Amino acid sequence: MAALDFDAELMLRVREGDGASFGVLLDKHRSSVVHFLFRMVQNRAVAEELAQEVFLRVYRSRATYEPTAKFTTWLFRIATHLALNALRDGRHDRSQERLDDDSGDLPARQVSDGRPNVEHALLNEARLEEIRRAIAALPEKQRAAVLMHKYEEMEYSQIAKVLNCSESAVKSLLFRAYETLRARLAHLA
Amino acid sequence: MVTPMNCPLETRETAELLLDYCRRRLSPERAAMLENHMQTCTACRGFAERQRAVWEALDGWEAAPVSADFDRRLYRRIEGETSWLERLSGRLRPLLAYRGVPVAAAACLVIAAGLLMERSATPVPTAAVAQKVNVEVQPEQVEKALDAMDLISEFNDKVRPEKPQAKL
Ligand SMILES: [Zn+2]
């Protein structure tokens, strides 16, 4: 019998009324959930609002939680579901608007001696803008698949469970997404 | 001596090999096979170079740190929900003690019916029901909770056939 992942064990403790275990789960996954949602909707406030909803749903469902899959699969399934809904509702679709707000990105990096280098910063900002636009232009499911594959380092099988499709469908999504990204971003090297 | 291989770009099924190579997920043996193949295949070499470039470009996109008050906001919302649930169960407790479960279940049905009626844009009966049981139940909260339950049970149904339920 497969061993429970540690997160699932924590969630079972939450089910038994251990609030501290919920805090541990939140601590462990807060950043990855917010960052995933931020890269999906490309708006910091919306991403944090959606992430709040994700953790709220995790907490609300503690009584009925069953460790039938990896905890992160379940977590990202909720996150993806909410992100896709938000994008479909048009609550935030960055691909339809000017990409000119800071949206919570880190400021362009400075050179190593600490002096701001305006030219370097502008160049870096332009690069980032290109990357954000390329990701925003991907169809939603392709976008979610790439973000989980690239930043969460998930396996095809886990992405498939999150997106509720077959592993070969995930490979196909990723193949098409990276094809588009190669065409748009490979010159950045 | 490295075993020669067919060009992975010839089929969609094997093209993932190149994605995995750029992600550094191939075993040393398979990576060596692919590198050997790339010495003579310009298509695969070009694919790998461009995929690496994309990979590195995406590495440069860092997300901002999460707001310092994220947890505080979340716990405030959790507390808010917990308190209305407690208020609700507090109101139902005397019913349970006095008449037993069927009465409490009937009370739940009354509340649920009230919420449904409110959602179907007939505010007057709902207000009357809410006043009767004297609890503040936000339809949005209930709707969200049900929504979450739907998602969870749908998820459990989806994953259950693939993997037997793990036990403690
Ligand atoms: Zn080849």
Side-chain angles (χ1 to χ4, degrees):
Chain A
M1 170 139 336
L4 271 184
D5 69 302
F6 180 57
D7 292 338
E9 283 187 29
L10 285 170
M11 194 58 203
L12 287 174
R13 284 186 220 163
V14 178
R15 191 174 76 179
E16 303 310 315
D18 177 11
S21 290
F22 180 76
V24 176
L25 284 169
L26 176 61
D27 233 21
K28 201 170 160 194
H29 300 290
R30 184 198 305 107
S31 294
S32 58
V33 169
V34 173
H35 292 167
F36 168 73
L37 289 165
F38 168 68
R39 290 185 175 110
M40 276 301 284
V41 301
Q42 302 203 13
N43 175 295
R44 189 181 181 184
V46 174
E48 288 204 1
E49 179 56 32
L50 292 173
Q52 293 255 323
E53 191 60 34
V54 171
F55 286 106
L56 207 54
R57 286 182 183 214
V58 167
Y59 189 77
R60 276 186 201 139
S61 61
R62 65 198 181 284
T64 52
Y65 175 74
E66 285 180 60
T68 47
K70 258 182 105 167
F71 176 80
T72 47
T73 304
W74 181 55
L75 187 68
F76 274 85
R77 189 172 162 106
I78 300 173
T80 305
H81 173 85
L82 291 173
L84 295 182
N85 276 353
L87 289 167
R88 280 166 201 162
D89 288 355
R91 253 196 278 170
H92 203 83
D93 190 354
R94 225 190 143 171
S95 58
Q96 301 299 314
E97 64 180 49
R98 263 194 82 210
L99 310 182
D100 57 358
D101 68 333
D102 71 356
S103 295
D105 276 324
L106 291 179
R109 285 190 198 133
Q110 295 178 353
V111 287
S112 53
D113 66 1
R115 272 183 296 126
N117 178 325
V118 176
E119 200 185 343
H120 179 86
L122 285 175
L123 215 78
N124 204 24
E125 187 46 49
R127 266 175 74 96
L128 279 176
E129 197 50 43
E130 228 176 305
I131 295 164
R132 289 193 293 245
R133 278 179 186 275
I135 293 285
L138 291 175
E140 293 152 4
K141 264 196 162 180
Q142 286 187 27
R143 198 186 315 175
V146 163
L147 297 179
M148 284 185 271
H149 183 252
K150 167 66 188 150
Y151 297 103
E152 307 309 319
E153 299 190 355
M154 282 187 194
E155 299 297 340
Y156 301 113
S157 57
Q158 192 178 6
I159 300 172
K161 279 181 185 155
V162 172
L163 295 180
N164 191 26
C165 60
S166 67
E167 230 177 286
S168 66
V170 166
K171 287 175 186 172
S172 178
L173 278 176
L174 285 171
F175 199 84
R176 278 182 282 140
Y178 282 124
E179 205 163 39
T180 308
L181 293 178
R182 282 194 302 276
R184 289 187 68 149
L185 301 177
H187 68 280
L188 292 177
Chain B
M1 162 95 189
V2 181
T3 322
M5 69 187 297
N6 292 329
C7 178
L9 282 179
E10 278 170 8
T11 61
R12 176 67 60 92
E13 290 71 40
T14 49
E16 72 183 77
L17 206 70
L18 280 157
L19 289 184
D20 291 341
Y21 173 73
C22 298
R23 209 184 170 200
R24 301 186 203 287
R25 287 288 179 99
L26 287 189
S27 66
E29 297 74 33
R30 294 201 89 189
M33 269 169 73
L34 188 56
E35 278 162 4
N36 186 52
H37 169 77
M38 284 194 293
Q39 283 178 0
T40 54
C41 180
T42 50
C44 282
R45 210 163 51 231
F47 182 108
E49 276 165 16
R50 284 177 293 122
Q51 181 64 22
R52 278 248 168 89
V54 166
W55 206 250
E56 280 163 22
L58 294 179
D59 277 336
W61 186 20
E62 292 176 56
V66 181
S67 301
D69 68 342
F70 183 88
D71 288 9
R72 192 179 49 78
R73 283 187 283 138
L74 177 65
Y75 283 117
R76 202 167 51 204
R77 289 176 71 178
I78 287 175
E79 267 172 36
E81 292 204 354
T82 313
S83 59
W84 81 255
L85 273 171
E86 276 167 2
R87 280 203 304 275
L88 179 66
S89 65
R91 297 284 168 190
L92 292 177
R93 204 169 293 129
L95 284 173
L96 272 166
Y98 181 59
R99 297 255 173 98
V101 178
V103 178
C108 286
L109 278 174
V110 170
I111 295 166
L115 290 171
L116 282 172
M117 286 162 94
E118 185 171 88
R119 284 180 66 190
S120 59
T122 46
V124 180
T126 310
V129 172
Q131 206 173 17
K132 214 171 190 172
V133 291
N134 195 24
V135 275
E136 291 169 17
V137 180
Q138 298 300 319
E140 195 203 359
Q141 288 175 318
V142 176
E143 196 180 346
K144 278 183 180 171
L146 291 174
D147 196 14
M149 293 305 147
D150 283 350
L151 183 68
I152 290 146
S153 65
E154 178 204 331
F155 179 73
N156 284 336
D157 290 346
K158 291 271 158 45
V159 295
R160 197 169 285 126
E162 292 168 40
K163 195 175 170 185
Q165 188 184 326
K167 285 195 178 127
L168 269 176

